[in-house]
Amino acid sequence: MKINLKSLLNPQIDRRGFLKSSALFSGAAAVTAGLTLPFKTTKVQASTLAESADKEKVVWSACTVNCGSRCPLKMHVENGEIKWVDTDNSGDDNYGEHQVRACLRGRSMRRRVYNPDRLKYPMKRIGKRGEGKFKRISWDEAFTDIAADITRIKKEYGNEAIYLNYGTGTLGGTVTKSWPPGGSLLARLMNLSGGYLNHYGDYSSAQIAAGLSHTYGGWANNNSPSDLENSKLIVQFGNNPAETRMSGGGVIHHFMEGKAKSNARLIVVDPRYTDTAGGREDQWIPIRPGTDTAFIAAMAHVMITENLVDQPFLDKYCVGYDEKTLPKSAPAKSDYKSYILGSGEDAVEKTPEWASKITGIPADIIIKAAREIGSTKPCAVIQGWGIQRTANGEIASRAVAMLSLLTGNVGINGGGSGAREGGSSIPFVRFPTLQNPVEASIPMFLWTDAIVRGPEMTAVKDGIRGKDKLDVPIKFIWNYAGNCIINQHSDINRTHDILQDEKACEMIVVIDNHMTSSAKYADIILPDLTTSEQSDFCMDASAGNMPYFIFASQVIKPQFEAKSIYDICTGLAEKLGVKEAFTEGRDQEGWLRHLYQLTRAQDPSLPEFEAMRKQGIYKRKVKDHFVAYQDFRNNPKANPLSTPSGKIEIYSEKLAELAETWDLAEDEVIHPLPVYAPTFEGWEDSKQGNYPLQLTGFHYKSRTHSTYGNVSLLQDAAPQEMWINPMDAQGRGINNGDLIRIFNDRGELHIAAKVTPRILPGVVALGEGAWYAPDGQKIDHGGCINVLTTQRPSPLAKGNPQHTNLVDVQLVNKV
Ligand SMILES: Nc1nc2c(c(=O)[nH]1)N[C@H]1C(S)=C(S)[C@@H](COP(=O)(O)OP(=O)(O)OC[C@H]3O[C@@H](n4cnc5c(=O)[nH]c(N)nc54)[C@H](O)[C@@H]3O)O[C@H]1N2
Ligand SMILES: Nc1nc2c(c(=O)[nH]1)N[C@H]1C(S)=C(S)[C@@H](COP(=O)(O)OP(=O)(O)OC[C@H]3O[C@@H](n4cnc5c(=O)[nH]c(N)nc54)[C@H](O)[C@@H]3O)O[C@H]1N2
Ligand code: SF4
Ligand SMILES: [Mo]
């Protein structure tokens, strides 16, 4: 079988070109793709995996990046060097016990381990922040300097000035786990040394976590994707698992298997024709970014006026659908139905014609979709996180759930809640990181603000938690396995300016494998081991109904002078006088054995430690699909939700209270109902200012954020380019492949254009995570979207609206 690599990574719109997911992820497909990658076709049985004295040995490792999946890698080693990489090919591959096959990124791990960008030694900055000029220092000097700085900053400002920045590069590890910050070894180290300023929320899901939690109480769950085998209709909002949940263990595999069994129809709502649509969809509904709430309101209008709503469900389980179930504190006519029918406060009827103008979706399509969703049961409504990584993402996330509520699909097989896919996992005892004595916590997105104006930041204006306001600005940043100092945080040029002031944030320590753009802003760089150079337990991420975990064993010796995070923290603990408390007398292997022993004590059916090391991956078949809120559905009195009312809150009293008490700008909306509200840099704004195009971002198969971004083979297979509709391109004289400039008041980048009808006119799109490559004139040539994004946070979560941007585009050069 000969498969073209480009077709693997770029499934065609054409149904004939459609590839089944198992082919996409099959080892055979990748190894015969005619790559120059070090892939081979040799089959290695699990039983032969034991370390042997032979020239070649095969060791189980893993890919632990934050892509929403988690994959075992089988590293083929000769004379201490990784020669090639393959993946899980054990068992008979029946669905439910299927092979967890890595995607092409994981399979190129060798190219990250031996990358020319690899950090080799501890280094100290000698140029300006960002210049990338460093000198080599010893580990002892690095530890001594860092410990001295921690001690000084603690004394001058207190522990609240020491911040653990967001970083998800090793999210999947146990010892190496980099996020949440409180789960990392740095947290353990700092907690033994007086604590640190924490953050809450994440760049992934801040808005949905803050928004949809008011509907369902706590983190909103959804059915496992395997349960799609019971669905008749699937509606995906801003969700692209074919790129964002790749691999044999990921959501896309369960999604494909489930859909194949049920033959459910599929509607994809997205400004882009995604790879998930890619021939699988029955209908693609392109939509203007940030306008889903209007589309949903209009569908609600159709469902209400055509009697398609599940009134008994809404009466029994929900608060505030109509006036009957409004809480006492709510004003008259403040229910959802009144809002839709135009008898509420704004007196606007949310008709399909009204929504059509806002969303760009023709009214007849809105009507047809509403009828289909309203009359096809069970219907699974699922949202990705693209829709909520926007300026009003909190509200948008709540709006999507309305479709599941209006149709009574919550808590049943084949239905769902409208949240992101759920799944099951195997409970695993985590590294104990101890209690943080510092109670203050900031929204993760506002760390740059906390450097500039920390003491001005309050609970009601900036969402500070744990106290009413911050007392000190951030003075020290730990940045472990993260590229959010620059590449992944919004408005790179603003961040650059903030970090130029060495009296503001006084110390930045970056712990990474590669010389990233963030590392270039470090005062001290510490080179970490890759997963291949150490042992760790690695947990699955979104595993449908087949949870698993991986024992990644050390494959090769540490490269250069790199040290593991465990040894780095131990070295620092010694300087800070807390070594014994930190290690408890164990080394990394000792901790792995200890944590696994505790895990096995709670679940003796798990294999023993050495057996686990040998078999690499442990999978568990779960018979039943996970159905979110099933207990609540079956008996709401006995199993109330954790919302204030115990019910599903369409009208949230808590949000009404926050809307009253929080300090908001005029154009910021917190509302008890999921109402449509225009936002800054939204579609309405595009009609007024200098920037007529909405720029939306997406997570790209070429990389996991920025990780793997320096593997040239992957860059070639799925190049960085900006999507633009032929209508927008024509007016600007742009043809496919031409070099263009994308710009707004915050920045400018130059990149090739992909002229394609796969995107709605008026909207352009760029994959996030490309490596920032400035030319000294503030123009980026790497295609890093964050030179264009804003640091203005969303109203409720104070989260990153990184998919909400206005830009213009011009031709630079013809190809
Ligand atoms: N504009 C825009 N920006 C975005 C997003 C967007 O959609 N649009 N998405 C946001 C989201 S959802 C997220 S989660 C963030 C992700 O942002 P980050 O968490 O910063 O993710 P990465 O860019 O992958 O950076 C991970 C870093 O970890 C390093 N790393 C990998 N493996 C190891 C290891 O073993 N040890 C160490 N020490 N380091 C390692 C990598 O080299 C890399 O520098 O980006 C956010 N930024
Ligand atoms: N290959 C790969 N996989 C990844 C990652 C990666 O970087 N690379 N990152 C991982 C991480 S940390 C995360 S958080 C997830 C991110 O997962 P998501 O947030 O779900 O992924 P995105 O690609 O940002 O957004 C999904 C889709 O939303 C669409 N979209 C954007 N704005 C709107 C809107 O207003 N309305 C609608 N209806 N659609 C909209 C985008 O076009 C995109 O196709 O992916 C994970 N998986
Ligand atoms: S990037 Fe994700 S899907 Fe690809 S190999 Fe790594 S864990 Fe698996
Ligand atoms: Mo994320």
Side-chain angles (χ1 to χ4, degrees), residues 166 189 285 493 560 739 768 810:
Y166 186 89
L189 175 70
I285 303 182
N493 288 317
F560 310 101
L739 184 69
E768 62 98 355
Q810 286 171 355

Side-chain angles (χ1 to χ4, degrees), residues 11 45 87 125 129 170 184 243 300 360 416 551 561 708 739 805:
Q45 296 308 314
T87 182
R125 182 170 58 81
R129 285 191 182 144
T170 56
S184 70
E243 276 190 84
F551 190 163
E561 278 189 12
Y708 290 105
L739 184 69
N805 312 285

Side-chain angles (χ1 to χ4, degrees), residues 152-183:
R152 178 182 64 80
I153 284 171
K154 270 169 60 171
K155 209 163 132 208
E156 278 179 41
Y157 304 97
N159 283 68
E160 195 181 289
I162 301 176
Y163 182 59
L164 260 61
N165 201 17
Y166 186 89
T168 61
T170 56
L171 180 96
T174 298
V175 174
T176 55
K177 191 172 182 56
S178 61
W179 195 88

